[in-house]
Amino acid sequence: MFAAIKKNPLRWFFIGWILLNIVQAYTTQLLDDEAYYWVYSRQLDWGYFDHPPMIAFLIKIGYALFPNELGVRLFMVILNGLTLWLMYKMLFVKNERLFMAMAASMAVLQIGGVLAVPDIPLTFFTALFFWQYKQFLEKNSVASALLLGLVMALMLYSKYHGILIIFFTVLSNWRLALQWKAWLAVIAAVLLFTPHVYWQYQHDFPSVWYHLKERNAPTYRLAFTTEYLAGQLAFAGPLIGWLLYYAVIKEKTPDPFGRALKYSSLGIIVFFAISTLKGRVEANWTAPVLVPLVILAHRWLAANDRFAVWVYRLCLPVLALIFILRLYMAVDVPALNERFRDEMHNNIGWAQAIKEKAAGRPVVFTNSYQYPSKYWFYAQDTAFDLNSTSYRRNLYNFSSLEQQFQHRLVYLVETVPREGADSIATPKGVFRGTEVRDFQSWSGIKLQPVSLPLQLVGGQTQDLLFRSSENLAGKQIVLDVYKGDQLHQRILLAPQGLREGVYSAPITLTGEAGMYRAKLGIATNVTGLISQNSPTLALELR
C-alpha cells in the first residue's frame, strides 16, 4: 500500500479525498439550506424562487439511490472531486506536491465540497467552462463553440453567479465579440437556458425581484464591507488565503487564457465588494473564484519558492483544524451541540418531538423555510411554511404544496408565544404549537401594484391600483409599510374590482417624508397571521 502511494501520490490523494468526503456526507446531518434544496427535489421544475434547478436535479438522482444524507450529497462529493481534477489538469506547471498542499489547506474545498448547495455544481461547471474555453482558444472549431455554449448554460442552471464568469472572460478578451463562433456559443447557451427564463416569465421573475431588490438592506453598514473582505481571506484559506490572492495579483498573464482566469478571480471579488453597499454579501457567493485562484496562484508559487514554503508550513495546522471540524460535524457531543445549537445536530430529536406533539396532524410552520424543510426530511412528514410580511418570500410561496393543507385540522408551530399554545420542548429549544381547525391561507396568490415605485403624499387618501393572480372576493387584503425593519403602519384595504385581475383600494399613509418598504398580504384564518403576497415594494412618502 505505502509503495503504491509513494509511486503515485496524486492518484491516492484524489481517492482519499473522495472517500473521506463520502464518509463525511453520510455521517453529518443536513444543514438548513441542504434540507431546503432537498424539498426542491420533491417537485422538479425548470426553476425555483431562489435558484435555478441544477441542485434539485442532482439531489433527486442521488436521493433515489441512497435515501439519506449521503444520497442528498452524493453528486456534490463527485463534482467536488472532479472540480479538483480539472483544476489540476489546467495547471500551467505540474508541481503535484504544491497542488496537493494548496488543496488540502483550503477548508472550503474539503468540507464545503460535501454540502448539497448550488455553489458546488457552479464551481464544477466553472472549472469545466475554463477547460472548454481553453479548448475553444486552441481549436476555434464549431464543435468547441457548441460545447462551450452547453457548459455556459449548465453553469447558469447551477447558479446565476455564473454570468459573472462569462462576463469577465469576455472582458479579458474583447476580440471574442468579433468572432462568429464565439457568438455561436452564446446563442447555444441562450437557447439551452430558455426553459428557465420562460419559467421566470410565468412566475413574474421572482428570482430577479429577490436577488436584485428584496435582499437589499434598508441602510448601508460598514460591517457589510469589512466582514465580506475578511471573509474572503478566510474562505480561500483559512491560513493561506492572503497568500493566494497576493500570488494572483503578482502573476503576469499575457495569454488570453491566463487573463480570463485573472479577470474572473479579481473581478468577481471587486463586484461583490461593491455589492456590499446594498447589503450583506455571503462569503460563498464568490465560490467560482476558487478555480482561477488555485490555477494562477499555483503557477506563481511554483516559481517563487520563498513564498511557496508557507503553503507547506501552514498545511499541517490547517489539516489539524479541519480534522477537528470534520469530527465535530459527524459526532454528537451533547455538551458542545447544546451550547452552539448548530444546524448539524439534534435534528432527529427535534423533528420527533414536534411530530409526537402534532399527533398525526399536518404541521405548518411560520416565517422559516428552514424548519419545515428539516421537519419534512427527518420526520418524513410533509410540512408547509407560511411567510408573513415580516419575513420574506421563498419556495413555499410558489409551491402547490399549500393546497394540501387547506380546510384541514393542522398543527401550527411557531417560535413566538400565542395564547393557548402548547409548549414543545425540543433539543433545539422551546417551540409553540397551536391546533388550527379549517386552516385557510392564500400565500400562493400574487399581488402586484400596477405602477412602481409607489409614491404617496402623507395624510392624503389615494387609490392603489394592483393586480391579483386570483379572485379576491371574501379575502382581507393588507398593505404593511415598514421603516427599516420595523412595521410603520398596517393599512386594511377594501379593494374594488375594476376589470379582470385589477383592483383599486383607497389608502392613507402618515409619517415623515422619506423612503419606506411595503408588502401586500392576505389575512389567514389564524389571528394576526398575514401571508406575504407581493415582493418588497419601494414606497416614497412625500
Side-chain angles (χ1 to χ4, degrees):
M1 172 66 75
F2 291 108
I5 294 175
K6 188 176 180 179
K7 183 178 180 180
N8 197 332
L10 186 66
R11 175 188 297 172
W12 288 98
F13 174 79
F14 283 120
I15 292 173
W17 186 284
I18 296 275
L19 291 178
L20 183 59
N21 279 348
I22 287 175
V23 173
Q24 191 77 57
Y26 179 71
T27 57
T28 303
Q29 294 180 30
L30 297 185
L31 299 182
D32 292 342
D33 283 359
E34 292 181 285
Y36 181 54
Y37 300 137
W38 173 80
V39 172
Y40 276 22
S41 72
R42 299 302 87 198
Q43 296 178 315
L44 287 183
D45 206 341
W46 281 107
Y48 300 91
F49 175 76
D50 318 71
H51 294 291
M54 181 63 72
I55 187 67
F57 176 72
L58 295 173
I59 291 175
K60 182 77 172 182
I61 301 173
Y63 192 75
L65 297 173
F66 303 101
N68 51 35
E69 289 88 348
L70 175 59
V72 173
R73 296 166 172 151
L74 178 63
F75 280 91
M76 310 306 124
V77 172
I78 294 171
L79 293 184
N80 173 252
L82 290 174
T83 301
L84 204 63
W85 180 78
L86 282 171
M87 286 193 291
Y88 171 75
K89 298 298 288 186
M90 286 187 284
L91 294 179
F92 293 95
V93 181
K94 292 298 186 280
N95 186 328
E96 295 181 0
R97 180 168 174 261
L98 177 60
F99 173 76
M100 290 187 289
M102 288 174 62
S105 299
M106 300 175 73
V108 69
L109 281 180
Q110 287 207 50
I111 296 174
V114 174
L115 305 179
V117 293
D119 303 288
I120 305 306
L122 172 62
T123 305
F124 167 71
F125 286 115
T126 296
L128 195 58
F129 168 81
F130 283 119
W131 170 271
Q132 188 55 39
Y133 177 62
K134 187 177 181 182
Q135 303 300 310
F136 176 76
L137 291 174
E138 294 172 355
K139 298 178 181 179
N140 196 24
S141 64
V142 171
S144 64
L146 292 175
L147 286 174
L148 186 61
L150 171 62
V151 175
M152 286 194 288
L154 293 173
M155 195 161 52
L156 294 175
Y157 271 117
S158 299
K159 200 171 183 179
Y160 302 116
H161 297 169
I163 194 67
L164 295 175
I165 294 290
I166 299 170
F167 171 77
F168 285 111
T169 297
V170 173
L171 191 64
S172 72
N173 186 4
W174 61 268
R175 290 184 177 85
L176 291 171
L178 305 177
Q179 299 181 26
W180 71 269
K181 289 174 185 174
W183 282 104
L184 179 63
V186 171
I187 293 170
V190 170
L191 290 176
L192 291 171
F193 197 59
T194 297
H196 177 70
V197 175
Y198 183 66
W199 181 93
Q200 290 285 343
Y201 168 76
Q202 287 180 308
H203 295 81
D204 297 325
F205 298 95
S207 303
V208 177
W209 272 96
Y210 174 61
H211 289 292
L212 297 185
K213 294 187 177 183
E214 294 185 61
R215 293 194 74 135
N216 294 344
T219 57
Y220 170 72
R221 295 201 296 268
L222 180 61
F224 292 160
T225 303
T226 55
E227 289 175 3
Y228 165 75
L229 294 176
Q232 288 311 300
L233 294 178
F235 188 71
L239 299 184
I240 66 168
W242 63 273
L243 181 57
L244 298 185
Y245 280 110
Y246 178 78
V248 170
I249 293 171
K250 295 288 289 184
E251 174 64 12
K252 305 299 182 183
T253 54
D255 59 294
F257 179 65
R259 284 201 307 273
L261 295 171
K262 190 163 187 173
Y263 273 56
S264 296
S265 56
L266 299 182
I268 291 177
I269 295 297
V270 172
F271 174 85
F272 282 115
I274 296 172
S275 298
T276 62
L277 299 176
K278 299 172 63 178
R280 177 169 282 107
V281 172
E282 303 294 338
N284 63 287
W285 290 2
T286 62
V289 165
L290 296 175
V291 175
L293 189 68
V294 168
I295 297 170
L296 283 182
H298 180 274
R299 180 162 72 172
W300 188 84
L301 290 169
N304 292 271
D305 293 339
R306 184 164 60 94
F307 289 90
V309 70
W310 284 102
V311 176
Y312 303 118
R313 289 175 179 173
L314 296 173
C315 185
L316 287 179
V318 172
L319 286 175
L321 290 173
I322 292 174
F323 173 77
I324 293 171
L325 181 56
R326 282 184 179 275
L327 198 62
Y328 170 76
M329 291 169 62
V331 178
D332 188 5
V333 183
L336 291 176
N337 301 339
E338 291 175 7
R339 177 180 177 81
F340 295 112
R341 296 187 183 280
D342 61 64
E343 304 172 21
M344 299 168 289
H345 299 96
N346 295 319
N347 293 300
I348 299 173
W350 168 82
Q352 289 303 318
I354 292 176
K355 188 172 185 177
E356 289 176 10
K357 204 72 174 180
R361 293 165 290 189
V363 177
V364 175
F365 293 85
T366 63
N367 295 338
S368 171
Y369 68 85
Q370 300 97 331
Y371 289 141
S373 304
K374 277 285 185 69
Y375 180 81
W376 191 345
F377 185 87
Y378 284 104
Q380 287 297 295
D381 187 14
T382 307
F384 178 67
D385 167 42
L386 185 68
N387 303 304
S388 74
T389 60
S390 63
Y391 190 53
R392 71 168 182 84
R393 299 185 300 164
N394 53 49
L395 168 71
Y396 292 94
N397 286 82
F398 296 84
S399 170
S400 59
L401 188 66
E402 183 178 28
Q403 301 306 314
Q404 300 180 25
F405 293 79
Q406 298 308 298
H407 301 289
R408 296 181 64 184
L409 175 67
V410 306
Y411 197 60
L412 184 70
V413 177
E414 303 173 284
T415 55
V416 295
R418 182 182 291 273
E419 185 177 353
D422 301 327
S423 179
I424 311 172
T426 80
K428 289 180 175 289
V430 176
F431 287 71
R432 309 290 178 175
T434 309
E435 182 179 89
V436 178
R437 297 182 180 276
D438 190 29
F439 177 72
Q440 297 177 53
S441 67
W442 298 275
S443 67
I445 295 178
K446 292 176 287 187
L447 305 179
Q448 178 73 45
V450 171
S451 62
L452 291 172
L454 298 177
Q455 295 179 329
L456 302 176
V457 178
Q460 292 189 13
T461 300
Q462 299 171 243
D463 285 332
L464 172 66
L465 298 179
F466 64 94
R467 295 186 178 88
S468 173
S469 61
E470 295 183 27
N471 191 296
L472 299 180
K475 299 177 178 62
Q476 175 61 68
I477 312 303
V478 171
L479 179 70
D480 278 348
V481 181
Y482 289 83
K483 186 66 174 178
D485 294 324
Q486 300 299 314
L487 180 63
H488 172 73
Q489 186 175 335
R490 170 164 288 174
I491 304 173
L492 302 181
L493 305 184
Q496 300 295 320
L498 298 181
R499 53 187 183 275
E500 185 177 359
V502 179
Y503 294 82
S504 174
I507 58 174
T508 305
L509 181 63
T510 60
E512 298 179 357
M515 295 303 300
Y516 293 77
R517 296 182 304 124
K519 300 177 182 180
L520 286 163
I522 302 176
T524 70
N525 70 330
V526 179
T527 303
L529 189 56
I530 311 293
S531 64
Q532 182 175 168
N533 297 82
S534 77
T536 301
L537 310 167
L539 187 153
E540 181 183 4
L541 184 63
R542 298 175 177 176

